[in-house]
Every structure is written in structure tokens, then in C-alpha cells.
Amino acid sequence: PSFPTRRSSDLDLVVLDAQHVDLEGRHGDALANALVFSGGSGFVRDVMVAGRWVVRSKRHSKARQAGAAYKRTLKDLLA
């Protein structure tokens, strides 16, 4: 399929994990229902915001920095 040309900075995308067990064999409305009602997590594989990938292979681009900041904050709170 072809899509209208847009600036990549305008693009937001969510890529689902087609291999997720709760999505297996589902199409159309059944796929939408699984996403809304299954209560599971892990459906999202990749996310692009304003033309930049922020989640790739289920890992946020700033996960390491966020984890380090969380550890510092927790250490300060428990001190």
C-alpha cells in the first residue's frame, strides 16, 4: 500500500507483537477485542513518537537511565 507523504517528524506508530500468545490467530474485531479485554501486557513491540523510535523490541530507549534514576531516588528515600 502507499501512504501520503508526510514529514517523518509527524509520524507516531505503535507496532504490535504479532507473536504474542493472546493475539495468536486473531484478526479484525477479534484482534481489537483481545487488545482491549485480555488484560494482558506485552502486546506492544515498538513505538515511534514524532518520527523517533522510543521503544524497540519492547525496550524503551531510556530504560537504563530511568532504572538508574529510580535506584538513586529509592536510595535517597530509604537513607
Side-chain angles (χ1 to χ4, degrees):
S2 62
F3 300 97
T5 304
R6 298 189 64 168
R7 295 185 324 238
S8 63
S9 63
D10 291 339
L11 195 55
D12 293 337
L13 293 172
V14 174
V15 179
L16 301 178
D17 181 357
Q19 304 305 311
H20 193 283
V21 67
D22 289 333
L23 302 181
E24 186 66 32
R26 298 176 192 259
H27 304 282
D29 287 346
L31 177 61
N33 289 341
L35 292 170
V36 173
F37 298 114
S38 76
S41 62
F43 294 124
V44 176
R45 189 186 74 202
D46 306 303
V47 177
M48 178 183 280
V49 177
R52 291 186 52 243
W53 289 109
V54 295
V55 175
R56 295 295 281 178
S57 299
K58 299 187 177 193
R59 181 132 176 105
H60 194 282
S61 61
K62 295 188 178 183
R64 185 173 292 147
Q65 296 95 317
Y70 175 76
K71 287 179 183 179
R72 284 191 307 274
T73 301
L74 192 56
K75 183 179 176 182
D76 289 345
L77 289 172
L78 298 174

Coordinates of all heavy atoms in Angstrom, one line a residue:
P1 N 0.8 -1.2 0.0 CA 0.0 0.0 0.0 C 0.9 1.2 0.0 O 2.0 1.2 0.5 CB -0.8 -0.1 1.3 CG -0.1 -1.1 2.2 CD 0.7 -1.9 1.2
S2 N 0.3 2.3 -0.5 CA 1.1 3.6 -0.5 C 0.4 4.5 0.5 O -0.8 4.4 0.7 CB 1.1 4.2 -1.9 OG -0.2 4.5 -2.3
F3 N 1.2 5.4 1.1 CA 0.7 6.3 2.1 C 1.0 7.7 1.7 O 2.0 7.9 1.0 CB 1.3 6.0 3.4 CG 1.0 4.6 3.9 CD1 1.9 3.6 3.7 CD2 -0.2 4.3 4.6 CE1 1.6 2.3 4.2 CE2 -0.5 3.0 5.0 CZ 0.4 2.0 4.8
P4 N 0.2 8.7 2.1 CA 0.6 10.1 1.7 C 1.9 10.4 2.3 O 2.3 10.0 3.4 CB -0.5 10.9 2.4 CG -1.6 9.9 2.8 CD -1.0 8.6 2.9
T5 N 2.7 11.2 1.6 CA 4.0 11.6 2.1 C 3.8 12.6 3.2 O 3.1 13.6 3.1 CB 4.8 12.2 0.9 OG1 4.9 11.3 -0.1 CG2 6.2 12.6 1.4
R6 N 4.5 12.3 4.3 CA 4.4 13.2 5.4 C 5.8 13.4 6.0 O 6.7 12.5 5.8 CB 3.5 12.6 6.5 CG 2.1 12.5 6.1 CD 1.2 12.1 7.2 NE 1.3 13.2 8.2 CZ 0.4 13.3 9.2 NH1 -0.5 12.4 9.4 NH2 0.5 14.3 10.0
R7 N 6.0 14.4 6.7 CA 7.3 14.6 7.4 C 7.5 13.5 8.4 O 6.5 13.2 9.1 CB 7.4 16.0 8.1 CG 7.4 17.1 7.1 CD 7.6 18.4 7.9 NE 7.0 18.4 9.2 CZ 6.1 19.3 9.6 NH1 5.7 20.2 8.8 NH2 5.6 19.2 10.8
S8 N 8.6 12.9 8.5 CA 8.8 11.8 9.5 C 8.6 12.4 10.9 O 8.3 11.6 11.8 CB 10.2 11.2 9.4 OG 11.2 12.2 9.6
S9 N 8.8 13.7 11.1 CA 8.6 14.2 12.5 C 7.2 14.2 12.9 O 6.8 14.4 14.0 CB 9.2 15.6 12.6 OG 8.6 16.5 11.7
D10 N 6.3 14.0 11.9 CA 4.8 14.0 12.2 C 4.4 12.6 12.6 O 3.2 12.4 13.0 CB 4.0 14.4 11.0 CG 4.1 15.9 10.7 OD1 4.5 16.6 11.6 OD2 3.9 16.3 9.6
L11 N 5.2 11.6 12.4 CA 4.8 10.2 12.5 C 4.8 9.6 13.9 O 5.8 9.7 14.6 CB 5.7 9.4 11.6 CG 5.2 8.0 11.2 CD1 3.9 8.0 10.6 CD2 6.2 7.4 10.3
D12 N 3.7 9.0 14.3 CA 3.6 8.3 15.6 C 3.1 6.9 15.2 O 2.1 6.8 14.4 CB 2.6 8.9 16.5 CG 3.0 10.2 17.1 OD1 4.2 10.5 17.1 OD2 2.1 11.0 17.5
L13 N 3.8 5.9 15.7 CA 3.4 4.5 15.3 C 3.4 3.6 16.6 O 4.3 3.8 17.4 CB 4.4 3.9 14.3 CG 4.4 4.4 12.9 CD1 5.6 3.8 12.2 CD2 3.1 4.1 12.2
V14 N 2.6 2.6 16.6 CA 2.7 1.5 17.6 C 2.7 0.2 16.8 O 1.8 0.0 16.0 CB 1.5 1.6 18.6 CG1 1.5 0.4 19.5 CG2 1.5 2.8 19.4
V15 N 3.7 -0.6 17.0 CA 3.8 -1.9 16.3 C 3.5 -3.0 17.3 O 4.2 -3.0 18.4 CB 5.2 -2.1 15.8 CG1 5.4 -3.4 15.1 CG2 5.6 -0.9 14.8
L16 N 2.5 -3.8 17.0 CA 2.1 -4.9 17.9 C 3.0 -6.1 17.7 O 3.5 -6.3 16.6 CB 0.7 -5.2 17.7 CG -0.4 -4.1 17.9 CD1 -1.8 -4.6 17.6 CD2 -0.3 -3.6 19.3
D17 N 3.1 -6.9 18.8 CA 3.9 -8.1 18.7 C 3.0 -9.2 18.2 O 2.2 -9.8 18.9 CB 4.4 -8.5 20.1 CG 5.3 -9.7 20.1 OD1 5.4 -10.4 19.0 OD2 5.8 -10.1 21.2
A18 N 3.1 -9.5 16.9 CA 2.2 -10.5 16.3 C 2.4 -11.9 16.8 O 1.6 -12.8 16.7 CB 2.4 -10.5 14.8
Q19 N 3.5 -12.1 17.5 CA 3.8 -13.4 18.1 C 3.3 -13.6 19.5 O 3.4 -14.6 20.1 CB 5.4 -13.6 18.2 CG 6.0 -13.5 16.8 CD 5.4 -14.4 15.8 OE1 5.2 -15.6 16.0 NE2 5.1 -13.9 14.6
H20 N 2.7 -12.5 20.1 CA 2.1 -12.6 21.4 C 1.0 -13.6 21.5 O 0.2 -13.7 20.6 CB 1.6 -11.2 21.9 CG 1.3 -11.1 23.3 ND1 0.2 -11.7 23.9 CD2 2.0 -10.5 24.3 CE1 0.2 -11.5 25.2 NE2 1.3 -10.8 25.5
V21 N 1.1 -14.5 22.5 CA 0.2 -15.6 22.6 C -1.3 -15.2 22.6 O -2.2 -15.9 22.0 CB 0.5 -16.5 23.8 CG1 0.2 -15.7 25.1 CG2 -0.3 -17.8 23.8
D22 N -1.6 -14.0 23.2 CA -3.0 -13.6 23.3 C -3.5 -13.0 21.9 O -4.7 -12.7 21.8 CB -3.2 -12.6 24.4 CG -3.1 -13.2 25.8 OD1 -3.4 -14.4 25.9 OD2 -2.7 -12.5 26.7
L23 N -2.6 -12.8 21.0 CA -3.1 -12.3 19.7 C -3.0 -13.4 18.6 O -3.5 -13.2 17.5 CB -2.1 -11.2 19.2 CG -2.1 -10.0 20.2 CD1 -1.1 -8.9 19.6 CD2 -3.4 -9.4 20.5
E24 N -2.6 -14.5 19.0 CA -2.4 -15.7 18.0 C -3.8 -16.0 17.3 O -4.8 -16.2 17.9 CB -2.0 -16.9 18.7 CG -1.6 -18.1 17.8 CD -0.5 -17.8 16.9 OE1 0.5 -17.1 17.3 OE2 -0.5 -18.3 15.8
G25 N -3.7 -16.0 16.0 CA -4.9 -16.4 15.2 C -6.0 -15.4 15.2 O -7.1 -15.7 14.6
R26 N -5.8 -14.2 15.7 CA -6.9 -13.2 15.8 C -6.8 -12.2 14.6 O -5.7 -11.8 14.3 CB -7.0 -12.5 17.1 CG -7.2 -13.5 18.2 CD -7.1 -12.7 19.6 NE -7.1 -13.6 20.7 CZ -8.1 -13.9 21.4 NH1 -9.3 -13.4 21.2 NH2 -8.0 -14.7 22.5
H27 N -7.9 -11.8 14.1 CA -8.0 -10.8 13.0 C -9.2 -9.9 13.2 O -10.1 -10.3 13.9 CB -8.1 -11.5 11.7 CG -7.0 -12.5 11.4 ND1 -5.7 -12.2 11.0 CD2 -7.0 -13.9 11.5 CE1 -5.0 -13.3 10.9 NE2 -5.7 -14.3 11.2
G28 N -9.1 -8.7 12.7 CA -10.2 -7.8 12.7 C -10.7 -7.5 14.1 O -9.9 -7.2 15.0
D29 N -12.0 -7.6 14.3 CA -12.6 -7.3 15.6 C -12.1 -8.2 16.7 O -12.0 -7.7 17.8 CB -14.2 -7.5 15.5 CG -14.8 -6.4 14.7 OD1 -14.2 -5.4 14.5 OD2 -16.0 -6.5 14.4
A30 N -11.8 -9.5 16.4 CA -11.3 -10.4 17.4 C -9.9 -9.9 17.9 O -9.6 -10.0 19.1 CB -11.1 -11.8 16.9
L31 N -9.1 -9.3 17.0 CA -7.8 -8.7 17.4 C -8.0 -7.5 18.3 O -7.4 -7.4 19.4 CB -7.0 -8.4 16.2 CG -5.7 -7.7 16.4 CD1 -4.7 -8.6 17.2 CD2 -5.0 -7.3 15.1
A32 N -8.9 -6.6 17.9 CA -9.2 -5.4 18.7 C -9.8 -5.8 20.1 O -9.4 -5.3 21.1 CB -10.2 -4.5 18.0
N33 N -10.6 -6.8 20.1 CA -11.2 -7.3 21.4 C -10.1 -7.8 22.3 O -10.1 -7.6 23.5 CB -12.2 -8.3 21.2 CG -13.5 -7.8 20.6 OD1 -13.8 -6.6 20.7 ND2 -14.3 -8.6 20.0
A34 N -9.1 -8.6 21.7 CA -8.0 -9.1 22.5 C -7.2 -8.0 23.1 O -6.8 -8.1 24.3 CB -7.2 -10.0 21.7
L35 N -7.0 -7.0 22.3 CA -6.2 -5.8 22.8 C -6.9 -5.1 24.0 O -6.2 -4.7 24.9 CB -5.9 -4.9 21.7 CG -5.0 -5.4 20.6 CD1 -4.9 -4.4 19.4 CD2 -3.6 -5.6 21.1
V36 N -8.2 -5.0 23.9 CA -8.9 -4.2 24.9 C -9.3 -5.0 26.1 O -9.1 -4.6 27.2 CB -10.2 -3.6 24.2 CG1 -11.1 -3.0 25.3 CG2 -9.9 -2.6 23.1
F37 N -9.7 -6.3 25.9 CA -10.2 -7.0 27.0 C -9.4 -8.1 27.6 O -9.8 -8.7 28.6 CB -11.6 -7.6 26.6 CG -12.6 -6.6 26.2 CD1 -13.0 -6.5 24.9 CD2 -13.1 -5.7 27.1 CE1 -14.0 -5.6 24.5 CE2 -14.0 -4.8 26.8 CZ -14.5 -4.7 25.4
S38 N -8.2 -8.4 27.0 CA -7.5 -9.6 27.6 C -6.8 -9.3 28.9 O -6.6 -10.2 29.7 CB -6.4 -10.0 26.6 OG -5.3 -9.1 26.6
G39 N -6.6 -8.1 29.2 CA -5.9 -7.7 30.5 C -4.4 -8.1 30.5 O -3.8 -7.9 31.5
G40 N -3.9 -8.6 29.4 CA -2.5 -8.9 29.3 C -1.7 -7.7 29.0 O -2.1 -6.6 28.8
S41 N -0.4 -7.9 29.1 CA 0.6 -6.9 28.7 C 1.6 -7.5 27.7 O 1.6 -8.7 27.5 CB 1.3 -6.3 30.0 OG 2.0 -7.4 30.6
G42 N 2.4 -6.6 27.2 CA 3.4 -7.1 26.3 C 3.0 -7.1 24.8 O 3.7 -7.7 24.0
F43 N 1.8 -6.5 24.5 CA 1.4 -6.5 23.1 C 2.2 -5.6 22.2 O 2.3 -5.8 21.0 CB -0.1 -6.0 23.0 CG -1.1 -6.9 23.6 CD1 -2.0 -6.5 24.6 CD2 -1.2 -8.3 23.2 CE1 -2.9 -7.3 25.2 CE2 -2.1 -9.1 23.8 CZ -3.0 -8.6 24.8
V44 N 2.7 -4.6 22.8 CA 3.5 -3.5 22.0 C 4.9 -4.0 21.9 O 5.6 -4.2 22.9 CB 3.4 -2.2 22.7 CG1 4.2 -1.1 22.0 CG2 1.9 -1.7 22.8
R45 N 5.4 -4.0 20.6 CA 6.8 -4.4 20.4 C 7.6 -3.1 20.2 O 8.7 -3.0 20.7 CB 6.8 -5.2 19.1 CG 8.2 -5.8 18.9 CD 8.3 -6.6 17.6 NE 8.4 -5.6 16.5 CZ 8.0 -5.8 15.3 NH1 7.6 -7.0 14.9 NH2 8.1 -4.9 14.4
D46 N 7.1 -2.2 19.4 CA 7.9 -0.9 19.0 C 7.0 0.3 19.1 O 5.8 0.1 18.8 CB 8.5 -1.1 17.6 CG 9.3 -2.3 17.4 OD1 10.3 -2.5 18.2 OD2 9.0 -3.1 16.5
V47 N 7.5 1.4 19.4 CA 6.8 2.7 19.4 C 7.6 3.8 18.8 O 8.8 3.9 19.2 CB 6.4 3.1 20.9 CG1 5.7 4.4 20.8 CG2 5.5 2.0 21.5
M48 N 7.0 4.5 17.9 CA 7.7 5.7 17.3 C 6.9 6.9 17.7 O 5.6 6.9 17.6 CB 7.7 5.6 15.8 CG 8.3 6.8 15.1 SD 8.3 6.7 13.3 CE 9.7 5.6 13.1
V49 N 7.5 8.0 18.2 CA 6.9 9.2 18.6 C 7.6 10.4 17.8 O 8.8 10.5 17.9 CB 7.0 9.4 20.1 CG1 6.4 10.8 20.5 CG2 6.3 8.3 20.8
A50 N 6.8 11.1 17.1 CA 7.3 12.3 16.3 C 8.5 11.8 15.5 O 9.5 12.6 15.4 CB 7.7 13.4 17.3
G51 N 8.4 10.7 14.8 CA 9.4 10.2 13.9 C 10.6 9.6 14.5 O 11.6 9.2 13.8
R52 N 10.6 9.4 15.9 CA 11.8 8.8 16.6 C 11.3 7.5 17.3 O 10.3 7.6 18.0 CB 12.4 9.8 17.6 CG 13.1 11.0 17.0 CD 13.8 11.8 18.1 NE 14.6 11.0 18.9 CZ 14.5 10.9 20.2 NH1 13.4 11.5 20.9 NH2 15.3 10.2 20.9
W53 N 12.1 6.5 17.1 CA 11.8 5.2 17.8 C 12.1 5.4 19.3 O 13.3 5.7 19.6 CB 12.6 4.1 17.2 CG 12.1 3.6 15.9 CD1 12.8 3.8 14.7 CD2 10.9 3.0 15.6 NE1 12.0 3.3 13.7 CE2 10.9 2.8 14.2 CE3 9.8 2.5 16.3 CZ2 9.8 2.2 13.5 CZ3 8.8 1.9 15.7 CH2 8.8 1.7 14.3
V54 N 11.2 5.2 20.1 CA 11.4 5.3 21.6 C 11.4 3.9 22.3 O 11.9 3.8 23.4 CB 10.5 6.3 22.3 CG1 10.8 7.7 21.8 CG2 9.1 6.0 22.1
V55 N 10.7 3.0 21.6 CA 10.7 1.6 22.1 C 11.0 0.7 20.9 O 10.4 0.9 19.8 CB 9.3 1.2 22.7 CG1 9.3 -0.3 23.0 CG2 8.9 2.1 23.8
R56 N 12.0 -0.1 21.1 CA 12.4 -1.1 20.0 C 12.5 -2.4 20.7 O 13.2 -2.6 21.8 CB 13.7 -0.7 19.4 CG 13.7 0.6 18.6 CD 12.8 0.5 17.4 NE 13.5 -0.2 16.3 CZ 12.9 -0.4 15.2 NH1 11.7 0.0 14.9 NH2 13.6 -1.1 14.3
S57 N 11.9 -3.4 20.1 CA 11.9 -4.8 20.7 C 11.6 -4.8 22.2 O 12.2 -5.4 23.0 CB 13.3 -5.4 20.5 OG 13.6 -5.5 19.1
K58 N 10.5 -4.1 22.5 CA 10.0 -4.0 23.8 C 10.9 -3.3 24.9 O 10.7 -3.4 26.1 CB 9.5 -5.4 24.3 CG 8.5 -6.0 23.5 CD 8.0 -7.3 24.1 CE 6.9 -7.8 23.2 NZ 6.1 -8.9 23.8
R59 N 11.9 -2.6 24.4 CA 12.8 -1.9 25.3 C 12.8 -0.4 25.0 O 13.1 0.0 23.9 CB 14.2 -2.5 25.1 CG 15.2 -1.9 26.1 CD 16.0 -2.9 26.7 NE 17.1 -2.3 27.5 CZ 17.0 -2.2 28.9 NH1 16.0 -2.7 29.5 NH2 18.0 -1.7 29.5
H60 N 12.5 0.4 26.0 CA 12.5 1.8 25.9 C 13.9 2.4 25.7 O 14.8 1.9 26.4 CB 11.8 2.5 27.1 CG 11.4 3.9 26.9 ND1 12.4 4.9 27.0 CD2 10.3 4.5 26.6 CE1 11.8 6.1 26.7 NE2 10.5 5.8 26.5
S61 N 14.1 3.4 24.9 CA 15.4 3.9 24.6 C 16.0 4.5 25.8 O 17.3 4.6 25.9 CB 15.3 4.9 23.5 OG 14.5 6.0 23.9
K62 N 15.3 4.9 26.8 CA 15.9 5.5 28.1 C 15.6 4.6 29.3 O 15.7 5.0 30.4 CB 15.3 6.8 28.3 CG 15.7 7.8 27.2 CD 15.3 9.2 27.5 CE 15.8 10.1 26.4 NZ 15.5 11.5 26.6
A63 N 15.5 3.3 29.1 CA 15.2 2.4 30.2 C 16.4 2.3 31.2 O 16.2 2.3 32.4 CB 14.9 1.0 29.7
R64 N 17.6 2.3 30.7 CA 18.8 2.3 31.5 C 18.9 3.5 32.4 O 19.1 3.4 33.6 CB 20.0 2.1 30.7 CG 21.3 1.9 31.6 CD 22.5 1.6 30.8 NE 22.3 0.2 30.2 CZ 22.8 -0.2 29.0 NH1 23.5 0.7 28.3 NH2 22.6 -1.4 28.6
Q65 N 18.6 4.7 31.8 CA 18.7 5.9 32.6 C 17.6 6.0 33.6 O 17.8 6.4 34.7 CB 18.6 7.1 31.6 CG 19.8 7.3 30.7 CD 19.4 6.7 29.3 OE1 18.9 5.6 29.2 NE2 19.8 7.4 28.2
A66 N 16.4 5.5 33.2 CA 15.3 5.5 34.1 C 15.5 4.6 35.3 O 15.2 4.9 36.5 CB 14.0 5.2 33.4
G67 N 16.1 3.4 35.0 CA 16.4 2.5 36.1 C 17.4 3.1 37.1 O 17.3 2.9 38.3
A68 N 18.4 3.7 36.5 CA 19.5 4.3 37.4 C 18.9 5.4 38.2 O 19.2 5.6 39.4 CB 20.6 4.9 36.5
A69 N 18.0 6.3 37.6 CA 17.4 7.4 38.4 C 16.5 6.8 39.5 O 16.4 7.3 40.6 CB 16.6 8.3 37.5
Y70 N 15.8 5.7 39.2 CA 14.9 5.1 40.2 C 15.7 4.6 41.4 O 15.4 4.8 42.5 CB 14.1 4.0 39.5 CG 13.3 3.2 40.5 CD1 12.1 3.7 41.0 CD2 13.7 1.9 41.0 CE1 11.3 2.9 41.9 CE2 13.0 1.2 41.9 CZ 11.8 1.7 42.4 OH 11.1 1.0 43.3
K71 N 16.8 3.9 41.1 CA 17.7 3.4 42.1 C 18.2 4.5 43.0 O 18.3 4.4 44.2 CB 18.8 2.6 41.5 CG 18.4 1.2 41.0 CD 19.6 0.5 40.4 CE 19.2 -0.8 39.8 NZ 20.3 -1.5 39.1
R72 N 18.7 5.6 42.4 CA 19.2 6.7 43.2 C 18.1 7.3 44.1 O 18.3 7.6 45.2 CB 19.7 7.8 42.2 CG 21.1 7.5 41.6 CD 21.7 8.8 40.9 NE 20.8 9.4 40.0 CZ 20.7 9.0 38.7 NH1 21.4 8.1 38.2 NH2 19.8 9.7 37.9
T73 N 16.9 7.5 43.5 CA 15.8 8.0 44.3 C 15.4 7.1 45.4 O 15.2 7.6 46.6 CB 14.6 8.3 43.4 OG1 15.0 9.2 42.3 CG2 13.4 8.9 44.1
L74 N 15.3 5.8 45.2 CA 15.0 4.9 46.2 C 16.0 4.9 47.3 O 15.7 4.9 48.5 CB 14.9 3.5 45.6 CG 14.2 2.4 46.5 CD1 12.9 2.8 47.0 CD2 14.2 1.1 45.7
K75 N 17.3 4.9 46.9 CA 18.4 5.0 47.9 C 18.2 6.3 48.8 O 18.4 6.2 50.0 CB 19.7 5.0 47.2 CG 20.9 5.0 48.1 CD 22.2 5.0 47.3 CE 23.4 5.1 48.2 NZ 24.7 5.1 47.5
D76 N 17.9 7.4 48.2 CA 17.8 8.6 48.9 C 16.5 8.6 49.9 O 16.6 9.0 51.0 CB 17.6 9.8 48.0 CG 18.8 10.2 47.2 OD1 19.9 9.7 47.6 OD2 18.7 10.9 46.2
L77 N 15.5 8.0 49.4 CA 14.3 7.9 50.2 C 14.5 6.9 51.4 O 13.9 7.2 52.5 CB 13.1 7.4 49.4 CG 12.5 8.3 48.4 CD1 11.5 7.6 47.5 CD2 11.9 9.5 49.1
L78 N 15.3 5.9 51.2 CA 15.5 4.9 52.3 C 16.6 5.3 53.2 O 16.8 4.6 54.2 CB 15.7 3.5 51.7 CG 14.5 3.0 50.9 CD1 14.8 1.7 50.2 CD2 13.3 2.9 51.8
A79 N 17.3 6.3 52.9 CA 18.5 6.7 53.7 C 18.1 7.4 55.0 O 17.0 8.0 55.2 CB 19.4 7.7 52.9

